[in-house]
Amino acid sequence: MTEDELFPSDTMSSLGLEGTSTGQVSTRMVVGGTGRYMGASGQVLEIGKGTNTTVMDDGTGDLAPNFTFEFDYFLPEL
C-alpha cells in the first residue's frame, strides 16, 4: 500500500460471526480473494486478543478490540 495506491491488489475476504475481545474464537469462511488470492476458499479463525488504546467512537469510551487471524485456505490452480 502506498499513498498513490491505498487498496492492496492481493486481498482475502471472510464471512461469519464477529468474535469478541474476551478471547472467544470465531470460525469464519474464506469466501474469495483478489490478486494472488483469487479463488481462495477455506476458513479463518478470528481470535480476540483484548483491547488496544483506540477509544471507540460510539460514546461509550470503551477501548477498541484487538484480533488476530489464522488462515487455513486453498488456492486453486488457475
Side-chain angles (χ1 to χ4, degrees), residues 2-74:
T2 67
E3 190 173 313
D4 294 333
E5 293 186 42
L6 297 177
F7 302 100
S9 60
D10 300 318
T11 63
M12 220 181 278
S13 182
S14 70
L15 180 69
L17 298 175
E18 289 294 326
T20 66
S21 60
T22 62
Q24 295 180 11
V25 176
S26 174
T27 304
R28 301 169 56 91
M29 299 166 281
V30 172
V31 294
T34 63
R36 69 180 179 198
Y37 299 114
M38 187 171 70
S41 63
Q43 68 180 22
V44 57
L45 302 179
E46 180 182 293
I47 305 163
K49 296 289 185 183
T51 59
N52 61 52
T53 58
T54 303
V55 177
M56 298 292 284
D57 191 20
D58 60 2
T60 64
D62 291 343
L63 298 177
N66 266 352
F67 297 98
T68 60
F69 298 86
E70 294 179 9
F71 287 84
D72 183 12
Y73 63 93
F74 170 78

